[in-house]
Amino acid sequence: NVLNAYAAGPNPDNAEIILGRPLLKNLSGGEIRAVIGHELGHVVSGDMRQMQFAEGLQSMFGNVFSVFMGIVAMFGAALAKDRSTRYAIQSGTSSLNTVGRALIGFVSELMVKGLSRSREFHADAIGASLTTPADMAGALEKIAKIHEKPKDIEASYSYLMFFGASFGNLFSTHPTNARRIEALRNGTYTRLLPHKK
């Protein structure tokens, strides 16, 4: 019962598209088809899998860095000639590990969110190609006018949602509505799609 939609599933052969009931009440037939086309775009492009892979890499890089720093600390402590040097090496590598993990987390989060925003533009283009750019833009405009504070499920899974966290900053899962609509009107991403002649 949310004014939203999302796609879920590990691959195109085993995927689902979920539509909130309020979408059916508030959008026109063409706009609903555009939203479904957008979600189908995520499915056929394998976006759910891409995002899961990106988040897995994000976690892996932090863990690999911690293991590397643990090995450095172990070898450094083994080579230390006295207890105070050993303690200094262990403290230093522990601090470096904390700072390094935070930096890796920050940079990788920017990259994951950037990927998520990019995939939204492409999914919008697919939705617009299956219907019309006006239907896709109309759905975005109507949802933006009605949509207020996201419900818990939308906040938790915003990167999956048709209408996600779009505050216009580097940590948003979605581009702003204004940028999405502008891209649709200009055909920025639609022209990149393979079209039959």
Side-chain angles (χ1 to χ4, degrees), residues 108-189:
S108 61
E109 186 69 6
L110 287 178
M111 292 171 72
V112 168
K113 292 297 192 288
L115 173 64
S116 178
R117 290 193 300 274
S118 167
R119 299 320 304 162
E120 288 306 313
F121 282 123
H122 287 282
D124 283 348
I126 292 171
S129 291
L130 293 173
T131 55
T132 68
D135 284 328
M136 190 80 254
L140 287 165
E141 286 171 339
K142 279 187 185 172
I143 292 173
K145 285 177 185 169
I146 305 166
H147 207 265
E148 293 184 5
K149 187 178 177 190
K151 298 196 175 174
D152 290 344
I153 189 169
E154 294 174 280
S156 300
Y157 298 99
S158 61
Y159 73 92
L160 288 172
M161 297 290 177
F162 172 72
F163 193 82
S166 56
F167 309 110
N169 64 40
L170 293 173
F171 290 98
S172 296
T173 58
H174 288 53
T176 61
N177 262 20
R179 287 191 65 208
R180 289 172 76 176
I181 291 166
E182 181 185 8
L184 286 164
R185 288 184 176 148
N186 295 336
T188 310
Y189 293 86

Side-chain angles (χ1 to χ4, degrees), residues 45-58:
S45 301
D47 288 343
M48 294 89 74
R49 191 169 58 248
Q50 282 188 52
M51 291 306 300
Q52 287 172 341
F53 183 70
E55 289 173 344
L57 280 179
Q58 182 181 18

Side-chain angles (χ1 to χ4, degrees), residues 26-135:
N26 289 283
L27 302 188
S28 71
E31 290 162 348
I32 290 167
R33 286 190 290 277
V35 172
I36 292 170
H38 170 102
E39 298 305 334
L40 284 172
H42 282 310
V43 171
V44 299
S45 301
D47 288 343
M48 294 89 74
R49 191 169 58 248
Q50 282 188 52
M51 291 306 300
Q52 287 172 341
F53 183 70
E55 289 173 344
L57 280 179
Q58 182 181 18
S59 175
M60 185 195 77
F61 284 136
N63 293 335
V64 167
F65 182 77
S66 286
V67 169
F68 173 75
M69 291 308 298
I71 292 168
V72 169
M74 187 176 68
F75 277 105
L79 295 172
K81 294 181 178 176
D82 55 63
R83 183 179 291 176
S84 62
T85 306
R86 189 178 304 121
Y87 177 75
I89 289 169
Q90 289 171 337
S91 295
T93 51
S94 176
S95 298
L96 198 58
N97 181 45
T98 302
V99 171
R101 279 198 75 129
L103 188 60
I104 288 169
F106 177 78
V107 172
S108 61
E109 186 69 6
L110 287 178
M111 292 171 72
V112 168
K113 292 297 192 288
L115 173 64
S116 178
R117 290 193 300 274
S118 167
R119 299 320 304 162
E120 288 306 313
F121 282 123
H122 287 282
D124 283 348
I126 292 171
S129 291
L130 293 173
T131 55
T132 68
D135 284 328

